[in-house]
């Protein structure tokens, strides 16, 4: 899977890469990042193991961020919005997920842009 994060200002860009099939060198792999941009910050906590990846993001920004997921194999994606609102653009589907709601999708390959409005979890 390939993940890219772009703030609204387009001045910064993050790319996160994962091993094929989310295989872990040990039983569980973890990664924690906190990145500050000119327009805000993002905290990313991730863990992956044997075909599963869990990502927890906290966006603190006055401007929106876009997170792009690209995964070239069949997968199930679950998106939960704990605070704020996210907008999921999955090629032919555009969906708003408000605080307290979730969205589930199955795809032969996942190509989605997720817009996180300011201060979203």
């Amino acid at each position: 899977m390939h993940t890219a994060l772009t703030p609204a200002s387009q001045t910064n860009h993050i790319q996160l890469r994962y091993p094929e099939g989310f295989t872990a060198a040990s039983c569980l792999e973890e990664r924690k990042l906190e990145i500050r941009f000119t327009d805000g910050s993002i905290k990313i906590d991730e863990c992956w193991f044997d075909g599963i990846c869990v990502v927890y993001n906290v966006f603190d920004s006055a401007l929106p961020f876009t997170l792009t997921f690209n995964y070239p194999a069949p997968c199930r994606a679950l998106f939960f919005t704990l605070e704020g609102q996210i907008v999921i653009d999955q090629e032919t589907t555009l969906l708003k997920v408000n605080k307290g709601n979730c969205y589930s999708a199955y795809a032969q390959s996942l190509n989605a842009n997720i817009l996180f409005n300011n201060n979203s979890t």
Side-chain angles (χ1 to χ4, degrees):
M1 183 168 83
H2 173 266
T3 302
L5 171 75
T6 307
S9 68
Q10 301 291 317
T11 58
N12 294 295
H13 186 78
I14 299 170
Q15 290 190 6
L16 302 173
R17 299 198 185 275
Y18 305 87
E20 187 173 332
F22 301 110
T23 55
S26 61
C27 185
L28 175 73
E29 294 287 326
E30 295 182 90
R31 176 170 49 196
K32 293 180 184 254
L33 302 167
E34 182 171 359
I35 301 156
R36 299 208 179 273
F37 298 111
T38 53
D39 11 41
S41 67
I42 177 175
K43 292 180 185 175
I44 305 170
D45 292 343
E46 307 165 290
C47 66
W48 60 87
F49 55 94
D50 195 21
I52 296 175
C53 181
V54 178
V55 181
Y56 176 75
N57 299 311
V58 177
F59 295 89
D60 181 18
S61 174
L63 300 172
F65 282 83
T66 301
L67 190 60
T68 303
F69 287 102
N70 300 105
Y71 190 66
C75 68
R76 162 90 43 209
L78 303 167
F79 299 95
F80 299 89
T81 305
L82 303 176
E83 292 292 331
Q85 180 190 68
I86 63 173
V87 177
I88 301 168
D89 181 358
Q90 190 180 351
E91 297 175 346
T92 60
T93 304
L94 186 65
L95 182 68
K96 291 182 181 179
V97 184
N98 294 313
K99 175 183 176 179
N101 292 306
C102 65
Y103 171 69
S104 172
Y106 175 81
Q108 289 299 315
S109 64
L110 179 64
N111 294 300
N113 292 310
I114 300 144
L115 175 69
F116 288 84
N117 289 316
N118 34 336
N119 303 325
S120 296
T121 303

